[in-house]
Amino acid sequence: MKIRDYCLPCLVNQVVKVAHMSHAQNKEELYHQVFDYLSSLDFELTNPEIIGQTFQMLKKHIHNDDPYKEIRRYYNDLFLQQQDYFRDLIEKADDSFEMAIRYAIIGNIIDFSPMHNHDINDVMKYFKNIKNQRLTLNDIEKLKNDLKNAKTLLYLGDNCGEICLDYLLIEKIKQMYPDLMIYFATRGEAVVNDSILEDAYYVHMDRYATIIDNGDYSLGTILHRVSPKFLDIYHQADVIIAKGQANYESLSEEVKNIYFLLMVKCHVIADDIGVDEKSLVCFHREE
């Protein structure tokens, strides 16, 4: 999915936000670098790839390879503390698999993009109201059938905190399909609040999945930039679960057996999928 002009304010605001958050010196110099890059922007690129490039500029300017490190740890700890509570609610549901998916999707609200940021109180309201949250697009039964017949699942993670809900879904998948080989993929380098390898090991994802990174610093999964190892696993996977908007933007045009799980947070994505903003979706884009 190519970048839209409506994405440009989000790009600029993200840089400004992190520059202030990290107490960057000579912010004007950083802004000039970003504006120079954007002035010759290739509009054939995806938004996640462009964010990755601007975030690299920011990290270099502030001499910090991981400016969101403390925030990622805070949200991982916050949701790790509640995992047993969420697991109990999942197991008590009439359809525990669907409930695990709903929790994983609502976890996608943990996002630090300035265009759709939420504070922790907003985030927890969604969890408290989960029984009333319905999926606008629901391909869960189709996903179940595909997992039943699959040998390999590649699960593409997204944000910190959210990864703790991904863990519960993967735990449920492993219970239902114990012979399924599961890979859990993170970003190759720190980019905004997206999960990286240390987050996946921190939440013990390796109990149920083989953890890999994609070898790239972009948001999402930019296939022409990922490592050969990741690309090989991607092509061999029978089923792919892709979490979040960035993975949707990266892979929406790919011919592959992909299920997209996300909360739709902006009208650009909403229009592309054909749903309203704030929709929760689990859908399979036909090959």
Side-chain angles (χ1 to χ4, degrees):
M1 176 182 167
K2 300 172 187 176
I3 188 172
R4 310 288 201 267
D5 54 2
Y6 281 109
C7 301
L8 294 174
C10 190
L11 282 166
V12 175
N13 286 341
Q14 182 71 64
V15 174
V16 173
K17 176 183 178 181
V18 183
H20 281 270
M21 182 192 78
S22 60
H23 306 290
Q25 302 298 310
N26 302 316
K27 291 191 290 290
E28 294 80 5
E29 179 182 333
L30 170 64
Y31 300 153
H32 284 146
Q33 292 177 24
V34 173
F35 295 152
D36 183 60
Y37 169 67
L38 295 178
S39 70
S40 57
L41 186 64
D42 181 356
F43 281 85
E44 295 296 308
L45 298 178
T46 64
N47 190 44
E49 185 171 0
I50 296 164
I51 292 176
Q53 295 287 6
T54 57
F55 204 75
Q56 285 293 103
M57 296 177 196
L58 189 146
K59 290 193 294 185
K60 183 176 181 181
H61 180 83
I62 65 177
H63 306 290
N64 184 345
D65 290 334
D66 194 357
Y68 277 90
K69 185 179 181 69
E70 292 183 5
I71 292 175
R72 290 205 324 276
R73 180 59 61 89
Y74 170 80
Y75 277 92
N76 287 338
D77 284 340
L78 178 66
F79 283 92
L80 278 174
Q81 292 166 10
Q82 300 181 75
Q83 262 191 342
D84 288 342
Y85 172 72
F86 291 142
R87 181 184 290 109
D88 185 57
L89 293 177
I90 288 170
E91 293 304 323
K92 288 179 178 177
D94 292 337
D95 186 334
S96 59
F97 183 73
E98 179 178 347
M99 185 60 76
I101 285 183
R102 275 202 259 168
Y103 270 106
I105 294 173
I106 290 177
N108 187 229
I109 196 177
I110 305 167
D111 197 323
F112 296 93
S113 170
M115 299 303 286
H116 37 73
N117 194 15
H118 299 83
D119 65 27
I120 187 59
N121 291 323
D122 289 334
V123 170
M124 297 314 298
K125 285 178 184 177
Y126 279 90
F127 285 99
K128 291 177 182 178
N129 196 37
I130 193 166
K131 290 184 178 180
N132 298 318
Q133 302 287 342
R134 293 292 177 263
L135 303 187
T136 304
L137 299 178
N138 187 339
D139 284 334
I140 291 177
E141 289 304 316
K142 182 175 176 60
L143 173 57
K144 279 184 182 179
N145 188 64
D146 277 357
L147 289 173
K148 180 180 179 181
N149 295 306
K151 293 181 179 179
T152 305
L153 165 66
L154 172 59
Y155 195 111
L156 306 177
D158 192 32
N159 296 329
C160 66
E162 176 183 358
I163 194 174
C164 301
L165 287 309
D166 294 329
Y167 175 96
L168 293 177
L169 175 53
I170 289 174
E171 179 181 64
K172 174 56 62 177
I173 290 173
K174 197 65 175 176
Q175 288 173 1
M176 295 172 65
Y177 312 102
D179 295 329
L180 183 66
M181 177 68 185
I182 303 175
Y183 291 93
F184 183 86
T186 70
R187 312 295 187 244
E189 293 183 26
V191 52
V192 197
N193 68 309
D194 284 13
S195 295
I196 57 177
L197 282 179
E198 70 175 66
D199 299 305
Y201 283 107
Y202 187 73
V203 304
H204 307 295
M205 191 67 77
D206 52 318
R207 289 175 180 168
Y208 298 109
T210 298
I211 299 171
I212 59 172
D213 71 70
N214 67 14
D216 184 33
Y217 53 71
S218 302
L219 262 68
T221 306
I222 312 297
L223 292 180
H224 68 267
R225 297 180 57 92
V226 298
S227 68
K229 177 183 177 181
F230 174 88
L231 196 60
D232 185 56
I233 292 171
Y234 173 88
H235 286 307
Q236 290 186 33
D238 299 306
V239 180
I240 295 174
I241 292 177
K243 286 294 300 296
Q245 289 198 157
N247 277 322
Y248 175 79
E249 291 173 89
S250 307
L251 300 170
S252 61
E253 298 176 9
E254 290 300 312
V255 180
K256 189 69 177 171
N257 191 20
I258 305 177
Y259 288 83
F260 295 100
L261 274 62
L262 66 147
M263 171 178 279
V264 180
K265 302 169 190 170
C266 71
H267 73 89
V268 172
I269 306 299
D271 291 346
D272 195 75
I273 296 176
V275 296
D276 294 331
E277 287 185 59
K278 307 300 183 184
S279 293
L280 308 180
V281 299
C282 167
F283 78 103
H284 180 264
R285 176 149 285 182
E286 296 298 332
E287 298 184 27

